């Protein structure tokens, strides 16, 4: 996996700057069921998922709520905790053995002085996070449960063979029973 090429495309920066950026990341293996982060901790890592699956979720008084299922090709962190040094709201746990490329918070802070393109890269990352959040909010407001299912399935069909369905249902803002009903309709 050419991580520099991925960073060059993701952040729209030159290959030279992407190589400088990638050079600060170290490989890390997160075994199945291991935590990347637990609620209340401060997130000190910004990672790129090379392989595997992770679940971002929170526990409320009544239930667990899955915010996101991450797989290869996505970045992983608790944005509020990492950038603003707040205690993490989310648990982040491996659903399978997961290989990451990880940047420490200390190295992240050094980038501003060392990497001329850093502010531009950081701005793009935060903007992408915001755009994804806007898209999720729109989906919840404007789409029916069936439409949310169809959109998710078109984007992440592999999750339906690798992730417990109750987690996917939670990401989609529905009960496992509703997801099962929708899936049964799709296959009938």
């Amino acid at each position: 996996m050419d991580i520099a090429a991925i960073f060059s495309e993701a952040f729209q920066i030159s290959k030279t700057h992407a190589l400088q950026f990638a050079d600060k990341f170290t490989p890390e293996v997160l075994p199945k069921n291991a935590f990347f982060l637990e609620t209340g901790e401060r997130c000190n890592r910004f990672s790129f998922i090379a392989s595997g699956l992770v679940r971002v979720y929170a526990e409320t008084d009544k239930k667990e709520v899955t915010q996101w299922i991450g797989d290869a090709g996505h970045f992983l962190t608790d944005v509020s905790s990492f950038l603003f040094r707040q205690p993490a709201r989310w648990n982040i746990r491996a659903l399978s053995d997961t290989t990451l490329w990880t940047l420490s918070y200390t190295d992240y802070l050094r980038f501003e002085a060392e990497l001329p393109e850093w502010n531009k890269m950081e701005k793009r990352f935060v903007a992408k996070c915001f755009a994804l959040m806007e898209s999720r909010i729109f989906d919840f407001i404007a789409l029916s449960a069936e439409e949310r299912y169809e959109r998710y399935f078109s984007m992440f069909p592999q999750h339906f063979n690798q992730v417990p369905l109750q987690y996917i249902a939670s990401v989609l803002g529905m009960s496992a029973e509703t997801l099962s009903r929708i899936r049964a309709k799709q296959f009938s």
Side-chain angles (χ1 to χ4, degrees):
M1 174 175 284
D2 183 359
I3 194 166
I6 291 166
F7 290 166
S8 178
E9 183 179 321
F11 295 106
Q12 298 171 344
I13 57 173
S14 71
K15 184 76 170 183
T16 302
H17 288 128
L19 283 167
Q20 288 176 287
F21 185 52
D23 189 50
K24 299 289 188 192
F25 283 74
T26 57
E28 176 183 3
V29 174
L30 194 62
K32 181 178 181 176
N33 294 321
F35 282 94
F36 176 87
L37 180 68
E38 292 187 66
T39 299
E41 294 178 346
R42 189 157 285 122
C43 187
N44 291 312
R45 297 184 284 180
F46 175 78
S47 297
F48 176 78
I49 304 170
S51 66
L53 289 162
V54 296
R55 175 180 174 228
V56 179
Y57 68 99
E59 297 176 24
T60 69
D61 291 338
K62 298 180 182 181
K63 62 183 176 179
E64 286 186 353
V65 179
T66 302
Q67 184 232 24
W68 183 65
I69 304 294
D71 57 9
H74 292 97
F75 288 93
L76 177 66
T77 196
D78 179 313
V79 175
S80 295
S81 182
F82 189 78
L83 293 177
F84 303 113
R85 312 311 299 149
Q86 300 173 353
R89 172 183 294 166
W90 304 104
N91 291 297
I92 302 176
R93 192 173 195 177
L95 293 175
S96 66
D97 289 343
T98 302
T99 303
L100 305 170
W101 285 93
T102 297
L103 175 71
S104 72
Y105 183 72
T106 305
D107 283 337
Y108 177 87
L109 291 176
R110 288 187 188 127
F111 276 137
E112 194 161 26
E114 295 177 8
L115 190 59
E117 294 285 309
W118 178 243
N119 289 333
K120 192 171 158 183
M121 291 169 59
E122 184 179 45
K123 182 179 177 181
R124 280 197 179 99
F125 173 74
V126 172
K128 282 185 179 193
C129 291
F130 186 76
L132 287 171
M133 183 182 65
E134 277 188 326
S135 181
R136 285 275 310 270
I137 291 168
F138 177 82
D139 288 356
F140 276 96
I141 294 169
L143 302 180
S144 68
E146 290 85 2
E147 290 168 325
R148 289 194 310 272
Y149 166 83
E150 289 169 8
R151 180 170 288 179
Y152 191 88
F153 186 81
S154 71
M155 294 169 61
F156 306 107
Q158 70 281 8
H159 286 185
F160 288 85
N161 295 324
Q162 301 170 331
V163 176
L165 291 180
Q166 72 262 24
Y167 299 162
I168 295 172
S170 183
V171 167
L172 295 173
M174 62 183 71
S175 68
E177 294 79 16
T178 300
L179 178 61
S180 291
R181 219 174 14 261
I182 292 169
R183 286 175 53 83
K185 235 194 271 184
Q186 297 289 323
F187 294 116
S188 62

